[in-house]
Amino acid sequence: MKYIVAILTMLMSTLFVNGQDSWKISLNKATVLISNKSDELINIKKIKSTEWKKNGFLEVTFKEITPSNWLHSLQFSDEKGNPLLVKDSTTTAKIPIVTLRKLFAGKKQLKIYMVINPPNPMMMAPTRMLHLGTLRLP
């Protein structure tokens, strides 16, 4: 009996540790980045100029392991952190590359963040800002 309890405890703790939010960034239906760790030094991908000039879409999908009632927004910023595009109340976005080329003309990077706010501002809970990925533009 103790052996079974020990195994179940190990399995449950493993599932808890491995159960993390994850996200996927695709450009023109080709996966650019899949991750579950918010790290600005690791989640960087260079975009080829041929891919950036196509008339496709940039798709971002954020998946929560345990869905919550907190408010989610996708924020697209330049290399200095200036938000140039915000998609409120969503965990997914499909943005035409033509739109991004206009917004990010002359910019070197496109940084993608998931901003998570409490449902009630009176909760006094901090806003979470997860770095999903950085795309280095041609």
Side-chain angles (χ1 to χ4, degrees):
M1 185 67 172
K2 289 181 184 179
Y3 183 69
I4 293 172
V5 171
I7 289 175
L8 286 174
T9 304
M10 280 185 16
L11 279 173
M12 289 174 56
S13 65
T14 304
L15 290 173
F16 180 73
V17 170
N18 289 336
Q20 297 177 353
D21 298 337
S22 62
W23 52 90
K24 177 180 171 183
I25 300 172
S26 302
L27 186 66
N28 297 324
K29 296 184 181 179
T31 301
V32 176
L33 180 80
I34 296 176
S35 184
N36 63 358
K37 185 176 181 182
S38 179
D39 190 343
E40 290 199 38
L41 299 175
I42 295 174
N43 295 341
I44 299 175
K45 296 295 177 184
K46 184 171 173 61
I47 302 299
K48 296 179 183 177
S49 63
T50 55
E51 288 296 316
W52 187 244
K53 291 178 182 176
K54 288 184 181 178
N55 289 331
F57 292 92
L58 175 72
E59 297 178 63
V60 180
T61 307
F62 182 81
K63 187 185 292 185
E64 282 186 300
I65 294 300
T66 55
S68 68
N69 64 342
W70 286 48
L71 306 173
H72 293 74
S73 300
L74 283 164
Q75 178 178 311
F76 300 84
S77 304
D78 64 4
E79 62 271 6
K80 295 179 183 176
N82 302 320
L84 299 178
L85 179 64
V86 176
K87 295 287 187 177
D88 288 324
S89 302
T90 187
T91 56
T92 62
K94 187 174 182 179
I95 304 160
I97 295 177
V98 174
T99 304
L100 291 174
R101 277 197 306 257
K102 289 178 185 176
L103 286 173
F104 287 88
K107 308 293 183 188
K108 297 177 184 170
Q109 293 181 346
L110 185 155
K111 293 185 176 190
I112 305 168
Y113 294 97
M114 176 58 70
V115 181
I116 305 171
N117 292 310
N120 182 353
M122 300 302 286
M123 289 178 63
M124 300 298 289
T127 296
R128 285 183 34 202
M129 195 163 179
L130 295 173
H131 175 264
L132 304 183
T134 299
L135 304 179
R136 289 198 176 147
L137 304 176

